PDB file of all heavy atoms in Angstrom:
ATOM      1  N   TYR L 117      -4.877   4.354  -2.303  1.00 98.00           N
ATOM      2  CA  TYR L 117      -3.574   4.727  -1.955  1.00 98.00           C
ATOM      3  C   TYR L 117      -2.441   3.823  -2.502  1.00 98.00           C
ATOM      4  O   TYR L 117      -2.610   2.578  -2.477  1.00 98.00           O
ATOM      5  CB  TYR L 117      -3.480   4.627  -0.352  1.00 98.00           C
ATOM      6  CG  TYR L 117      -4.301   5.534   0.417  1.00 98.00           C
ATOM      7  CD1 TYR L 117      -5.531   5.166   0.870  1.00 98.00           C
ATOM      8  CD2 TYR L 117      -3.986   6.831   0.667  1.00 98.00           C
ATOM      9  CE1 TYR L 117      -6.426   5.971   1.529  1.00 98.00           C
ATOM     10  CE2 TYR L 117      -4.623   7.692   1.505  1.00 98.00           C
ATOM     11  CZ  TYR L 117      -5.944   7.314   1.907  1.00 98.00           C
ATOM     12  OH  TYR L 117      -6.714   8.211   2.528  1.00 98.00           O
ATOM     13  N   CYS L 118      -1.357   4.515  -2.931  1.00 98.00           N
ATOM     14  CA  CYS L 118      -0.113   3.800  -3.322  1.00 98.00           C
ATOM     15  C   CYS L 118       0.752   3.522  -2.203  1.00 98.00           C
ATOM     16  O   CYS L 118       0.897   4.356  -1.330  1.00 98.00           O
ATOM     17  CB  CYS L 118       0.488   4.659  -4.377  1.00 98.00           C
ATOM     18  SG  CYS L 118       2.096   4.201  -4.920  1.00 98.00           S
ATOM     19  N   ALA L 119       1.461   2.268  -2.113  1.00 98.00           N
ATOM     20  CA  ALA L 119       2.341   2.039  -1.011  1.00 98.00           C
ATOM     21  C   ALA L 119       3.531   1.321  -1.566  1.00 98.00           C
ATOM     22  O   ALA L 119       3.445   0.593  -2.503  1.00 98.00           O
ATOM     23  CB  ALA L 119       1.508   1.240  -0.003  1.00 98.00           C
ATOM     24  N   ALA L 120       4.738   1.533  -0.898  1.00 98.00           N
ATOM     25  CA  ALA L 120       5.911   0.924  -1.158  1.00 98.00           C
ATOM     26  C   ALA L 120       6.538   0.132   0.034  1.00 98.00           C
ATOM     27  O   ALA L 120       6.416   0.640   1.200  1.00 98.00           O
ATOM     28  CB  ALA L 120       6.948   1.828  -1.643  1.00 98.00           C
ATOM     29  N   SER L 121       7.052  -1.040  -0.026  1.00 97.00           N
ATOM     30  CA  SER L 121       7.590  -1.895   0.926  1.00 97.00           C
ATOM     31  C   SER L 121       9.005  -2.168   0.635  1.00 97.00           C
ATOM     32  O   SER L 121       9.404  -2.544  -0.442  1.00 97.00           O
ATOM     33  CB  SER L 121       6.709  -3.119   1.078  1.00 97.00           C
ATOM     34  OG  SER L 121       7.402  -4.050   1.962  1.00 97.00           O
ATOM     35  N   PHE L 122       9.912  -2.304   1.718  1.00 95.00           N
ATOM     36  CA  PHE L 122      11.254  -2.650   1.548  1.00 95.00           C
ATOM     37  C   PHE L 122      11.277  -4.211   1.385  1.00 95.00           C
ATOM     38  O   PHE L 122      12.313  -4.808   0.863  1.00 95.00           O
ATOM     39  CB  PHE L 122      11.968  -2.515   2.906  1.00 95.00           C
ATOM     40  CG  PHE L 122      12.206  -0.987   3.165  1.00 95.00           C
ATOM     41  CD1 PHE L 122      12.010  -0.440   4.306  1.00 95.00           C
ATOM     42  CD2 PHE L 122      12.913  -0.215   2.091  1.00 95.00           C
ATOM     43  CE1 PHE L 122      12.247   0.973   4.610  1.00 95.00           C
ATOM     44  CE2 PHE L 122      13.182   1.178   2.443  1.00 95.00           C
ATOM     45  CZ  PHE L 122      12.831   1.788   3.534  1.00 95.00           C
ATOM     46  N   GLN L 123      10.269  -4.905   1.900  1.00 95.00           N
ATOM     47  CA  GLN L 123      10.230  -6.424   1.858  1.00 95.00           C
ATOM     48  C   GLN L 123       9.940  -7.034   0.586  1.00 95.00           C
ATOM     49  O   GLN L 123       9.181  -6.301  -0.334  1.00 95.00           O
ATOM     50  CB  GLN L 123       9.248  -6.912   2.863  1.00 95.00           C
ATOM     51  CG  GLN L 123       9.631  -6.468   4.275  1.00 95.00           C
ATOM     52  CD  GLN L 123       8.681  -7.053   5.299  1.00 95.00           C
ATOM     53  OE1 GLN L 123       8.455  -8.293   5.390  1.00 95.00           O
ATOM     54  NE2 GLN L 123       7.849  -6.226   6.005  1.00 95.00           N
ATOM     55  N   ALA L 124      10.519  -7.960   0.092  1.00 94.00           N
ATOM     56  CA  ALA L 124      10.400  -8.557  -1.276  1.00 94.00           C
ATOM     57  C   ALA L 124       9.102  -9.474  -1.231  1.00 94.00           C
ATOM     58  O   ALA L 124       8.790  -9.778  -2.496  1.00 94.00           O
ATOM     59  CB  ALA L 124      11.614  -9.449  -1.567  1.00 94.00           C
ATOM     60  N   ILE L 125       8.558  -9.861  -0.220  1.00 94.00           N
ATOM     61  CA  ILE L 125       7.346 -10.633  -0.265  1.00 94.00           C
ATOM     62  C   ILE L 125       6.125 -10.015  -0.842  1.00 94.00           C
ATOM     63  O   ILE L 125       5.857  -8.909  -0.371  1.00 94.00           O
ATOM     64  CB  ILE L 125       7.044 -11.247   1.083  1.00 94.00           C
ATOM     65  CG1 ILE L 125       8.313 -12.217   1.562  1.00 94.00           C
ATOM     66  CG2 ILE L 125       5.828 -12.098   1.015  1.00 94.00           C
ATOM     67  CD1 ILE L 125       8.224 -12.529   3.056  1.00 94.00           C
ATOM     68  N   VAL L 126       5.531 -10.619  -1.721  1.00 95.00           N
ATOM     69  CA  VAL L 126       4.262  -9.881  -2.414  1.00 95.00           C
ATOM     70  C   VAL L 126       3.057 -10.314  -1.779  1.00 95.00           C
ATOM     71  O   VAL L 126       2.084  -9.490  -1.606  1.00 95.00           O
ATOM     72  CB  VAL L 126       4.271 -10.301  -3.863  1.00 95.00           C
ATOM     73  CG1 VAL L 126       3.080  -9.742  -4.581  1.00 95.00           C
ATOM     74  CG2 VAL L 126       5.541  -9.824  -4.635  1.00 95.00           C
ATOM     75  N   ARG L 127       2.776 -11.469  -1.391  1.00 95.00           N
ATOM     76  CA  ARG L 127       1.571 -12.091  -0.903  1.00 95.00           C
ATOM     77  C   ARG L 127       1.347 -11.812   0.619  1.00 95.00           C
ATOM     78  O   ARG L 127       1.134 -12.737   1.326  1.00 95.00           O
ATOM     79  CB  ARG L 127       1.434 -13.630  -1.271  1.00 95.00           C
ATOM     80  CG  ARG L 127       1.486 -13.877  -2.733  1.00 95.00           C
ATOM     81  CD  ARG L 127       1.390 -15.333  -3.162  1.00 95.00           C
ATOM     82  NE  ARG L 127       1.446 -15.508  -4.565  1.00 95.00           N
ATOM     83  CZ  ARG L 127       0.305 -15.533  -5.272  1.00 95.00           C
ATOM     84  NH1 ARG L 127      -0.821 -15.274  -4.891  1.00 95.00           N
ATOM     85  NH2 ARG L 127       0.390 -15.588  -6.648  1.00 95.00           N
ATOM     86  N   VAL L 128       1.387 -10.550   0.967  1.00 92.00           N
ATOM     87  CA  VAL L 128       0.986  -9.972   2.311  1.00 92.00           C
ATOM     88  C   VAL L 128       0.010  -8.899   1.996  1.00 92.00           C
ATOM     89  O   VAL L 128       0.408  -7.881   1.490  1.00 92.00           O
ATOM     90  CB  VAL L 128       2.217  -9.603   3.024  1.00 92.00           C
ATOM     91  CG1 VAL L 128       1.849  -9.086   4.356  1.00 92.00           C
ATOM     92  CG2 VAL L 128       3.341 -10.793   3.130  1.00 92.00           C
ATOM     93  N   ALA L 129      -1.128  -9.014   2.615  1.00 94.00           N
ATOM     94  CA  ALA L 129      -2.229  -8.058   2.434  1.00 94.00           C
ATOM     95  C   ALA L 129      -2.422  -7.081   3.621  1.00 94.00           C
ATOM     96  O   ALA L 129      -3.592  -6.703   3.759  1.00 94.00           O
ATOM     97  CB  ALA L 129      -3.548  -8.848   2.113  1.00 94.00           C
ATOM     98  N   THR L 130      -1.384  -6.753   4.259  1.00 95.00           N
ATOM     99  CA  THR L 130      -1.516  -5.917   5.487  1.00 95.00           C
ATOM    100  C   THR L 130      -0.794  -4.562   5.290  1.00 95.00           C
ATOM    101  O   THR L 130       0.223  -4.550   4.644  1.00 95.00           O
ATOM    102  CB  THR L 130      -0.970  -6.557   6.725  1.00 95.00           C
ATOM    103  OG1 THR L 130       0.400  -6.777   6.638  1.00 95.00           O
ATOM    104  CG2 THR L 130      -1.779  -7.758   7.061  1.00 95.00           C
ATOM    105  N   ALA L 131      -1.483  -3.527   5.834  1.00 95.00           N
ATOM    106  CA  ALA L 131      -0.778  -2.203   5.724  1.00 95.00           C
ATOM    107  C   ALA L 131       0.557  -2.174   6.437  1.00 95.00           C
ATOM    108  O   ALA L 131       1.369  -1.344   5.929  1.00 95.00           O
ATOM    109  CB  ALA L 131      -1.728  -1.118   6.206  1.00 95.00           C
ATOM    110  N   GLU L 132       0.671  -2.852   7.525  1.00 95.00           N
ATOM    111  CA  GLU L 132       1.966  -2.874   8.288  1.00 95.00           C
ATOM    112  C   GLU L 132       3.117  -3.278   7.452  1.00 95.00           C
ATOM    113  O   GLU L 132       4.344  -3.081   7.892  1.00 95.00           O
ATOM    114  CB  GLU L 132       1.799  -3.830   9.526  1.00 95.00           C
ATOM    115  CG  GLU L 132       0.708  -3.219  10.481  1.00 95.00           C
ATOM    116  CD  GLU L 132      -0.688  -3.498  10.236  1.00 95.00           C
ATOM    117  OE1 GLU L 132      -0.998  -4.183   9.137  1.00 95.00           O
ATOM    118  OE2 GLU L 132      -1.516  -2.984  10.932  1.00 95.00           O
ATOM    119  N   HIS L 133       2.918  -4.048   6.383  1.00 95.00           N
ATOM    120  CA  HIS L 133       3.913  -4.454   5.554  1.00 95.00           C
ATOM    121  C   HIS L 133       4.622  -3.323   4.686  1.00 95.00           C
ATOM    122  O   HIS L 133       5.678  -3.487   4.107  1.00 95.00           O
ATOM    123  CB  HIS L 133       3.247  -5.615   4.498  1.00 95.00           C
ATOM    124  CG  HIS L 133       4.266  -6.317   3.595  1.00 95.00           C
ATOM    125  ND1 HIS L 133       5.338  -7.018   3.962  1.00 95.00           N
ATOM    126  CD2 HIS L 133       4.363  -6.076   2.212  1.00 95.00           C
ATOM    127  CE1 HIS L 133       5.956  -7.481   2.983  1.00 95.00           C
ATOM    128  NE2 HIS L 133       5.397  -6.924   1.804  1.00 95.00           N
ATOM    129  N   TYR L 134       4.006  -2.226   4.643  1.00 97.00           N
ATOM    130  CA  TYR L 134       4.375  -1.078   3.722  1.00 97.00           C
ATOM    131  C   TYR L 134       4.948  -0.070   4.411  1.00 97.00           C
ATOM    132  O   TYR L 134       4.546   0.373   5.608  1.00 97.00           O
ATOM    133  CB  TYR L 134       3.200  -0.706   2.797  1.00 97.00           C
ATOM    134  CG  TYR L 134       2.914  -1.754   1.746  1.00 97.00           C
ATOM    135  CD1 TYR L 134       2.033  -2.868   2.096  1.00 97.00           C
ATOM    136  CD2 TYR L 134       3.387  -1.690   0.620  1.00 97.00           C
ATOM    137  CE1 TYR L 134       1.734  -3.786   1.173  1.00 97.00           C
ATOM    138  CE2 TYR L 134       3.119  -2.687  -0.416  1.00 97.00           C
ATOM    139  CZ  TYR L 134       2.407  -3.739   0.008  1.00 97.00           C
ATOM    140  OH  TYR L 134       2.107  -4.686  -0.978  1.00 97.00           O
ATOM    141  N   ASP L 135       5.979   0.544   3.899  1.00 97.00           N
ATOM    142  CA  ASP L 135       6.785   1.693   4.571  1.00 97.00           C
ATOM    143  C   ASP L 135       6.418   3.043   4.117  1.00 97.00           C
ATOM    144  O   ASP L 135       6.551   4.036   4.917  1.00 97.00           O
ATOM    145  CB  ASP L 135       8.182   1.390   4.390  1.00 97.00           C
ATOM    146  CG  ASP L 135       8.677   0.042   4.708  1.00 97.00           C
ATOM    147  OD1 ASP L 135       8.773  -0.156   6.050  1.00 97.00           O
ATOM    148  OD2 ASP L 135       8.943  -0.896   3.932  1.00 97.00           O
ATOM    149  N   TYR L 136       6.025   3.257   2.824  1.00 98.00           N
ATOM    150  CA  TYR L 136       5.818   4.641   2.306  1.00 98.00           C
ATOM    151  C   TYR L 136       4.436   4.727   1.683  1.00 98.00           C
ATOM    152  O   TYR L 136       3.989   3.558   1.115  1.00 98.00           O
ATOM    153  CB  TYR L 136       6.846   5.024   1.429  1.00 98.00           C
ATOM    154  CG  TYR L 136       8.125   5.111   1.986  1.00 98.00           C
ATOM    155  CD1 TYR L 136       9.121   4.035   1.598  1.00 98.00           C
ATOM    156  CD2 TYR L 136       8.699   6.076   2.847  1.00 98.00           C
ATOM    157  CE1 TYR L 136      10.439   4.033   2.116  1.00 98.00           C
ATOM    158  CE2 TYR L 136       9.796   6.048   3.366  1.00 98.00           C
ATOM    159  CZ  TYR L 136      10.848   5.090   2.965  1.00 98.00           C
ATOM    160  OH  TYR L 136      12.091   5.178   3.521  1.00 98.00           O
ATOM    161  N   TRP L 137       3.774   5.720   1.840  1.00 98.00           N
ATOM    162  CA  TRP L 137       2.367   5.845   1.285  1.00 98.00           C
ATOM    163  C   TRP L 137       2.116   7.184   0.564  1.00 98.00           C
ATOM    164  O   TRP L 137       2.808   8.200   0.893  1.00 98.00           O
ATOM    165  CB  TRP L 137       1.433   5.828   2.533  1.00 98.00           C
ATOM    166  CG  TRP L 137       1.313   4.596   3.165  1.00 98.00           C
ATOM    167  CD1 TRP L 137       2.251   4.158   4.209  1.00 98.00           C
ATOM    168  CD2 TRP L 137       0.433   3.532   2.917  1.00 98.00           C
ATOM    169  NE1 TRP L 137       1.876   2.875   4.579  1.00 98.00           N
ATOM    170  CE2 TRP L 137       0.736   2.449   3.895  1.00 98.00           C
ATOM    171  CE3 TRP L 137      -0.658   3.314   2.158  1.00 98.00           C
ATOM    172  CZ2 TRP L 137       0.103   1.256   3.924  1.00 98.00           C
ATOM    173  CZ3 TRP L 137      -1.397   2.094   2.156  1.00 98.00           C
ATOM    174  CH2 TRP L 137      -1.031   1.073   2.960  1.00 98.00           C
ATOM    175  N   GLY L 138       1.336   7.214  -0.461  1.00 98.00           N
ATOM    176  CA  GLY L 138       0.957   8.304  -1.014  1.00 98.00           C
ATOM    177  C   GLY L 138      -0.247   9.042  -0.437  1.00 98.00           C
ATOM    178  O   GLY L 138      -0.755   8.648   0.613  1.00 98.00           O
ATOM    179  N   GLN L 139      -0.680  10.144  -0.970  1.00 97.00           N
ATOM    180  CA  GLN L 139      -1.712  10.989  -0.404  1.00 97.00           C
ATOM    181  C   GLN L 139      -3.105  10.497  -0.617  1.00 97.00           C
ATOM    182  O   GLN L 139      -4.125  10.878   0.106  1.00 97.00           O
ATOM    183  CB  GLN L 139      -1.592  12.351  -0.792  1.00 97.00           C
ATOM    184  CG  GLN L 139      -2.299  12.813  -2.278  1.00 97.00           C
ATOM    185  CD  GLN L 139      -1.543  12.197  -3.315  1.00 97.00           C
ATOM    186  OE1 GLN L 139      -0.486  11.690  -3.315  1.00 97.00           O
ATOM    187  NE2 GLN L 139      -2.116  12.307  -4.583  1.00 97.00           N
ATOM    188  N   GLY L 140      -3.311   9.545  -1.595  1.00 98.00           N
ATOM    189  CA  GLY L 140      -4.457   8.997  -1.964  1.00 98.00           C
ATOM    190  C   GLY L 140      -5.296   9.689  -3.199  1.00 98.00           C
ATOM    191  O   GLY L 140      -4.980  10.950  -3.338  1.00 98.00           O
ATOM    192  N   THR L 141      -6.049   8.984  -3.921  1.00 98.00           N
ATOM    193  CA  THR L 141      -6.866   9.659  -5.055  1.00 98.00           C
ATOM    194  C   THR L 141      -8.306   8.981  -4.897  1.00 98.00           C
ATOM    195  O   THR L 141      -8.454   7.738  -4.801  1.00 98.00           O
ATOM    196  CB  THR L 141      -6.189   9.354  -6.320  1.00 98.00           C
ATOM    197  OG1 THR L 141      -6.968  10.160  -7.417  1.00 98.00           O
ATOM    198  CG2 THR L 141      -6.212   7.942  -6.727  1.00 98.00           C
ATOM    199  N   GLN L 142      -9.227   9.856  -5.087  1.00 98.00           N
ATOM    200  CA  GLN L 142     -10.701   9.425  -4.934  1.00 98.00           C
ATOM    201  C   GLN L 142     -11.137   8.705  -6.088  1.00 98.00           C
ATOM    202  O   GLN L 142     -11.130   9.251  -7.199  1.00 98.00           O
ATOM    203  CB  GLN L 142     -11.529  10.638  -4.618  1.00 98.00           C
ATOM    204  CG  GLN L 142     -13.121  10.349  -4.408  1.00 98.00           C
ATOM    205  CD  GLN L 142     -13.353   9.562  -3.152  1.00 98.00           C
ATOM    206  OE1 GLN L 142     -12.913   9.845  -2.057  1.00 98.00           O
ATOM    207  NE2 GLN L 142     -14.091   8.453  -3.432  1.00 98.00           N
ATOM    208  N   VAL L 143     -11.811   7.657  -5.954  1.00 98.00           N
ATOM    209  CA  VAL L 143     -12.485   6.854  -7.028  1.00 98.00           C
ATOM    210  C   VAL L 143     -14.010   6.836  -6.534  1.00 98.00           C
ATOM    211  O   VAL L 143     -14.245   6.278  -5.461  1.00 98.00           O
ATOM    212  CB  VAL L 143     -11.891   5.488  -7.231  1.00 98.00           C
ATOM    213  CG1 VAL L 143     -12.789   4.733  -8.170  1.00 98.00           C
ATOM    214  CG2 VAL L 143     -10.476   5.605  -7.830  1.00 98.00           C
ATOM    215  N   THR L 144     -15.025   7.293  -7.470  1.00 98.00           N
ATOM    216  CA  THR L 144     -16.300   7.247  -7.112  1.00 98.00           C
ATOM    217  C   THR L 144     -17.048   6.529  -8.298  1.00 98.00           C
ATOM    218  O   THR L 144     -16.878   6.918  -9.384  1.00 98.00           O
ATOM    219  CB  THR L 144     -16.873   8.648  -6.824  1.00 98.00           C
ATOM    220  OG1 THR L 144     -16.224   9.301  -5.784  1.00 98.00           O
ATOM    221  CG2 THR L 144     -18.402   8.587  -6.519  1.00 98.00           C
ATOM    222  N   VAL L 145     -17.698   5.547  -7.827  1.00 98.00           N
ATOM    223  CA  VAL L 145     -18.516   4.688  -8.840  1.00 98.00           C
ATOM    224  C   VAL L 145     -19.973   4.873  -8.569  1.00 98.00           C
ATOM    225  O   VAL L 145     -20.531   4.408  -7.518  1.00 98.00           O
ATOM    226  CB  VAL L 145     -18.131   3.196  -8.849  1.00 98.00           C
ATOM    227  CG1 VAL L 145     -18.719   2.452 -10.056  1.00 98.00           C
ATOM    228  CG2 VAL L 145     -16.591   2.988  -9.016  1.00 98.00           C
ATOM    229  N   SER L 146     -20.633   5.442  -9.615  1.00 98.00           N
ATOM    230  CA  SER L 146     -22.076   5.690  -9.386  1.00 98.00           C
ATOM    231  C   SER L 146     -22.798   4.422  -9.946  1.00 98.00           C
ATOM    232  O   SER L 146     -22.467   3.740 -10.949  1.00 98.00           O
ATOM    233  CB  SER L 146     -22.477   6.830 -10.059  1.00 98.00           C
ATOM    234  OG  SER L 146     -22.380   6.833 -11.592  1.00 98.00           O
TER     235      SER L 146
END
């Protein structure tokens, strides 16, 4: 999933930090 945040801080690894989300794309590694 792609996500966008209003906040300028980069080193935050939580979903709550992000305001907008894409629909997702499947990656499968065999």
Side-chain angles (χ1 to χ4, degrees):
Y117 295 93
C118 171
S121 174
F122 292 129
Q123 301 181 57
I125 299 173
V126 175
R127 297 180 179 273
V128 179
T130 61
E132 290 80 4
H133 182 66
Y134 290 84
D135 302 288
Y136 301 108
W137 295 84
Q139 83 289 351
T141 186
Q142 177 70 48
V143 172
T144 302
V145 184
S146 62

